[in-house]
Amino acid sequence: MLIEQRYWTATGGWKNEGTLCLDGKASLLLVFASTSILDNRSLMDEVRRQYPGTPLVGCSTAGEICGISVRDNSMVVTAIRFEHTTLKLVKTSIAEAGDSLKAGTQLAQTLAHGQLQHVLVLSDGLQVNGTELAQGLRTNLPDTVAVTGGLAGDGANFKRTLVCADAETGEGVIAAVGFYGTRLKVAYGSLGGWDSFGAQRLITRSHGNILYELDGRSALALYKEYLGEHAEGLPATGLLFPLALRVGENDDDLVRTVLSVNENEQSMTFAGDMPEGSYARLMKANFDRLIDGAAGAAHSISAAIPNPQLALLISCVGRKLVLKQRVEEEVESVRDVLGKDPVLAGFYSYGEICPQSATTHCALHNQTMPITTYTES
């Protein structure tokens, strides 16, 4: 596997991250950029000219990761040439979140054949119900195939997210890449680092990813009580106070982030399902634990498959807003664990898709930093 990286900014133009080694010939391009830059047709055409005929997949972000740097309003292009792995890029689009399960099912059924080893999925971040998308994927793929990826971002704006899959760049798009071949080794890990506080509350009224009531009270009114002065900045300030969701007694907590609020209905829309009968509890940031969580995920990967060649980092926009000027510390902690050799690429997202615990069944997470490493033997 050979990899090279470039990044573009309005002030500096194109710059190389490391040594260029592919001479324009690659198997896959990963492109992460801010919404406005990804919308720049001439810039995207320039990327395609640099790597003619190469499949391209990417999304808008809430921050771009290139090496140990985290930038805003940039474009990061990671070009990969596989020697023993074949790829299949598929895409679909949805009109509304109610189609998310169907979209995941369709993508999985298209990819599930032959020597499928792994699936990378990049999805619209606002129109898609991430829980249903993950369900459609995991129930239609072999148990041995893991899915990792994330939901596109739009900074802290929550207005418009984009996904590109070859020639198509648009809203409501979901793209997936299937990796085939026995010589590809994939490892993944995900940890959070948030602290729970306050009472655990029963979800008494919800519909899909829309939450109406906790313990029979307005969920939005209760949430605002906890947030105090931060409530004025919703939904963006909700990223600082996610909810821990527990569906069953023996299940690990999933973290859910607010995407929007509806004052008229007194409801809150989350990136994934908030099922009635489950329990939710407010969470707050712990700076050191957030960084330790990223390092812990890297340690679990390194133990499984040492010396990776590529590490894909997809972290939550909420972590970035909390860490602020310390945001690069969580990326640096991954570098410290994985070493200087692997190429680091990724983005800050509106939701992360990764297997939960040690299983290969993917789930939607928020406020985590899943890491996926790729190595060809």
Side-chain angles (χ1 to χ4, degrees), residues 6-16 43 46 71 74-75:
R6 292 183 170 104
Y7 65 92
W8 182 92
T9 61
T11 55
W14 286 105
K15 294 187 182 299
N16 301 330
L43 191 59
E46 185 177 350
R71 297 182 179 89
S74 73
M75 173 181 282

Side-chain angles (χ1 to χ4, degrees), residues 138-208:
R138 69 171 177 261
T139 55
N140 290 277
L141 288 171
D143 289 341
T144 55
V145 176
V147 181
T148 59
L151 309 187
D154 180 29
N157 301 316
F158 292 89
K159 293 180 179 178
R160 188 166 172 263
T161 64
L162 301 173
V163 171
C164 54
D166 281 341
E168 181 177 357
T169 300
E171 299 176 67
V173 176
I174 307 171
V177 181
F179 296 79
Y180 302 82
T182 58
R183 297 182 65 173
L184 179 69
K185 307 301 179 186
V186 181
Y188 47 84
S190 176
L191 289 174
W194 297 76
D195 291 332
S196 298
F197 72 98
Q200 184 170 262
R201 298 183 181 276
L202 178 67
I203 296 178
T204 49
R205 184 180 168 222
S206 65
H207 179 73

Side-chain angles (χ1 to χ4, degrees), residues 62-65 68-72 287 291 294 315-333 348 369:
E64 302 83 49
I65 298 172
I68 58 172
S69 298
V70 177
R71 297 182 179 89
D72 292 307
F287 287 90
I291 295 168
S315 190
C316 183
V317 58
R319 299 170 69 92
K320 182 169 178 278
L321 293 179
V322 169
L323 291 170
K324 296 181 181 177
Q325 67 269 22
R326 294 182 61 185
V327 67
E328 290 184 345
E329 290 185 31
E330 71 169 357
V331 181
E332 291 169 355
S333 73
Y348 283 82
M369 180 191 247

